[in-house]
Amino acid sequence: MRKVKGFLMAESIVALIIAAVAVSCMYLTVAESQENGREIELKTDRAYAYHVLQESNLNQVTVHDRIYEKAGHNYVYDRDAKQEFAVED
């Protein structure tokens, strides 16, 4: 009977370890996906802001609560991040 209890305990521990690894992998996948989504959204917003600034000759434009200014050819300045970003054509 002791051998059976020991085997069941070992099996339970292995199952818990596998479940913990699966949950952590799922968490990392979801977190990384959300981070990539935010980066793509910011990059798209910068390109859109540059296009609007170039076409309408405005000094600044607000996109999703961020203020962008034209900083040169293919560059846009994000006043919230206080940084210039290159924009691809």
Side-chain angles (χ1 to χ4, degrees):
M1 190 69 171
R2 283 187 169 203
K3 288 183 180 180
V4 173
K5 284 184 180 180
F7 175 74
L8 292 176
M9 181 66 80
E11 186 179 21
S12 298
I13 290 171
V14 169
L16 285 174
I17 291 171
I18 291 171
V21 168
V23 168
S24 64
C25 287
M26 181 66 125
Y27 172 76
L28 288 174
T29 301
V30 170
E32 199 64 33
S33 170
Q34 289 177 348
E35 184 179 327
N36 287 340
R38 282 190 295 269
E39 289 176 15
I40 290 171
E41 182 181 358
L42 281 173
K43 191 174 181 180
T44 305
D45 288 349
R46 291 179 195 130
Y48 174 71
Y50 179 77
H51 176 74
V52 169
L53 289 168
Q54 188 175 18
E55 294 295 320
S56 61
N57 292 327
L58 294 172
N59 293 333
Q60 66 183 18
V61 66
T62 303
V63 179
H64 291 139
D65 297 331
R66 288 184 171 263
I67 300 172
Y68 295 99
E69 298 174 352
K70 190 172 179 182
H73 185 66
N74 290 346
Y75 283 93
V76 67
Y77 178 73
D78 184 352
R79 286 178 55 187
D80 294 338
K82 295 181 173 73
Q83 194 174 8
E84 283 187 13
F85 295 98
V87 178
E88 297 177 13
D89 279 337

